[in-house]
Amino acid sequence: MLESRPDAPQASEHAQAPAAASSPASLAGAPPAATPVRDYAYYKAVFAGRAMPCAFLDLDLLDANVRAVLARTGGKRVRVASKSVRSIGVLRRLLAADPSIQGLMCFTAREASWLAAQGFEDLLIGYPCVHPDDLAAVARATAERPNARITLMVDSVAQVERAEAAAEGAGVRLPLCLDMDLALALPGLHFGAWRSPLRTPDDARPLIERIVASPHVWLDGLMGYEAQIAGVGDSAPGQTLKNALVRQLKRRSVREVARRRAALVQLAEQCGAKLRFVNGGGTGSISTTRQEPAVTEITVGSAFYSPALFDYYRDFRYLPAAGFAIEIVRQPAAGIYTCLGGGYVASGGAGADKLPAPYLPTGARLDPLEAAGEVQTPIHYAGPERLGLGDPVFLRHSKAGELCERFTHLLLVQGGRVVEEITTYRGDGQCFL
């Protein structure tokens, strides 16, 4: 196995910037805790008097999600997907939670360079970057911060050549990660994400040989993202036939993904590469990715906040740790409460599943025609809670970290009160995509 080879570093150099004061010493070693109960009255009391809209992160639920992730990963290392978190304070808390949580998967070169300046060290950029300025920023950060390792993602010779030019210009060597396509190709159906053009070992061989022979870069790791397993729900309400089909396709994909990933690792080692890591998976595929001997680390992001899009998986359920509150500002009819703002729609294929989901009070729902609006969101509610002007309605974003693109701060909730207010990337004046 790759992990046991003595010449492959075990990524123990993951020491990060100091953790936030509220960080637990070791969540993995903490005794099992009862699932915290959260209802409308709880959060209404927590946020009494707070200006809205506001975003929050429930630390008790976050910590429970961390424990659940570690229990599911089967001893594999965890790499945190920064795009699903987008807050320096939360990233530090997660990396301090347990020794097996090591490093970040970033989404742009500028983000990785900025995080390196904040003291983070093990940074894998999950997507290729080709602009000379971006590559130069990575090379400069590498030269200026010897403890930081920023690994670039590649899937073509042209990308390697640009990385080489940046490395040579800065007088450094840059680590690269090869991204292999793991989508399942069927007649008339592409089940997975359109990512890398490298689909077979024969596709990858010329690129691996080029990297191994280069004086300016080296092959640090391999990655394959099984998006069709990790990012596709299979327990959507009212879609019995579709759920059954998705599960069948996932089962077929699991076997194919493991075979192709193992073959790529074998090829890289035959070509003389000394791999530091083999990355795979995501929140939705932890239970299958962990079974692959070739994989040394699993990328996890959405599990920590547990956004609404991840409610529809059959095999797991995390706790809704992150959300936002909008304020009732008028009542146009009985049972309809119109709130200020709320139109925080997630990226991806346009559909109802990308809308924010009313969370509390239980039974609240969006209007089918207005949905969530830029300046107002009507909420239908006919339950037992007495709602009036100035009261909050709590919603959950469809996709995890994108909530932080809308808010400058997260209110950290613990033990029934707000214990801290921390910045998001937006609050730090950063916008990477």
Side-chain angles (χ1 to χ4, degrees):
M1 287 177 60
L2 182 70
E3 295 109 315
S4 63
R5 200 176 63 227
D7 59 359
Q10 297 302 298
S12 60
E13 71 282 11
H14 73 288
Q16 306 292 340
S22 56
S23 298
S26 176
L27 290 174
T35 301
V37 176
R38 298 292 184 257
D39 58 17
Y40 180 74
Y42 178 86
Y43 283 127
K44 182 179 179 181
V46 167
F47 298 111
R50 295 271 175 178
M52 292 176 274
C54 62
F56 66 91
L57 178 62
D58 190 316
L59 296 182
D60 298 321
L61 302 190
L62 173 68
D63 293 351
N65 287 340
V66 171
R67 287 191 292 267
V69 165
L70 295 175
R72 292 174 58 84
T73 52
K76 302 286 189 184
R77 297 193 297 269
V78 172
R79 184 177 290 274
V80 178
S82 64
K83 78 176 185 66
S84 298
V85 177
R86 303 194 201 204
S87 168
I88 289 285
V90 182
L91 290 173
R92 286 175 174 159
R93 182 182 181 88
L94 292 173
L95 289 164
D98 187 85
S100 67
I101 302 179
Q102 300 181 8
L104 304 178
M105 178 177 285
C106 307
F107 53 96
T108 73
R110 289 181 296 117
E111 181 207 17
S113 300
W114 178 66
L115 289 173
Q118 311 309 309
F120 295 89
E121 296 179 358
D122 185 354
L123 302 161
L124 168 64
I125 303 176
Y127 307 87
C129 52
V130 297
H131 196 281
D133 291 348
D134 291 339
L135 291 166
V138 170
R140 283 196 305 272
T142 301
E144 294 169 359
R145 299 173 178 85
N147 290 333
R149 179 179 295 193
I150 304 176
T151 303
L152 296 165
M153 191 67 65
V154 297
D155 57 38
S156 73
V157 171
Q159 294 163 357
V160 174
E161 290 173 345
R162 295 187 181 208
E164 287 177 319
E168 185 176 13
V172 298
R173 293 182 73 226
L174 292 176
L176 305 182
C177 177
L178 195 68
D179 189 2
M180 184 180 191
D181 179 79
L182 292 181
L184 181 65
L186 299 172
L189 174 65
H190 180 88
F191 189 48
W194 290 102
R195 290 175 63 95
S196 169
L198 306 178
R199 297 179 174 86
T200 68
D202 287 342
D203 294 335
R205 181 182 291 276
L207 193 52
I208 293 175
E209 291 176 345
R210 169 61 188 271
I211 295 170
V212 170
S214 174
H216 304 297
V217 297
W218 81 92
L219 190 59
D220 195 30
L222 302 175
M223 174 190 167
Y225 177 47
E226 54 271 44
Q228 69 273 25
I229 306 170
V232 179
D234 56 6
S235 187
Q239 300 184 26
T240 303
L241 293 179
K242 180 180 178 180
N243 291 334
L245 175 60
V246 169
R247 290 169 191 162
Q248 181 181 0
L249 290 171
K250 282 187 174 186
R251 286 192 292 270
R252 182 168 176 177
S253 290
V254 166
R255 297 189 296 269
E256 179 68 10
V257 162
R259 183 189 67 78
R260 289 159 68 181
R261 188 148 38 207
L264 183 63
V265 172
Q266 183 179 26
L267 171 63
E269 292 178 337
Q270 288 173 351
C271 291
K274 299 184 185 301
L275 302 174
R276 181 171 65 101
F277 64 87
V278 175
N279 180 280
T283 291
S285 70
I286 292 174
S287 62
T288 54
T289 306
R290 73 180 184 188
Q291 298 176 23
E292 295 186 43
V295 171
T296 65
E297 63 178 37
I298 302 173
T299 298
V300 180
S302 296
F304 301 121
Y305 288 175
S306 190
L309 201 60
F310 280 80
D311 287 349
Y312 305 118
Y313 285 74
R314 182 179 63 170
D315 295 335
F316 64 85
R317 177 64 63 86
Y318 296 100
L319 300 176
F324 63 96
I326 53 179
E327 182 181 32
I328 297 172
V329 294
R330 55 185 169 186
Q331 185 175 2
I336 301 179
Y337 303 88
T338 301
C339 301
L340 184 65
Y344 311 137
V345 179
S347 64
D353 61 336
K354 300 306 188 300
L355 296 174
Y359 173 36
L360 295 170
T362 301
R365 59 184 178 85
L366 298 175
D367 183 85
L369 296 181
E370 281 198 59
E374 177 188 9
V375 291
Q376 73 166 37
T377 298
I379 297 291
H380 291 251
Y381 178 69
E385 298 290 347
R386 294 174 61 89
L387 301 181
L389 298 183
D391 285 339
V393 175
F394 299 98
L395 296 90
R396 295 164 60 209
H397 201 266
S398 175
K399 297 182 74 174
E402 292 182 24
L403 176 66
C404 293
E405 296 296 339
R406 294 287 189 166
F407 292 89
T408 59
H409 291 77
L410 291 172
L411 300 176
L412 302 186
V413 178
Q414 192 169 46
R417 63 189 182 93
V418 174
V419 296
E420 192 175 354
E421 184 173 352
I422 62 173
T423 55
T424 63
Y425 280 9
R426 179 173 177 174
D428 291 327
Q430 303 297 324
C431 180
F432 300 110
L433 281 179

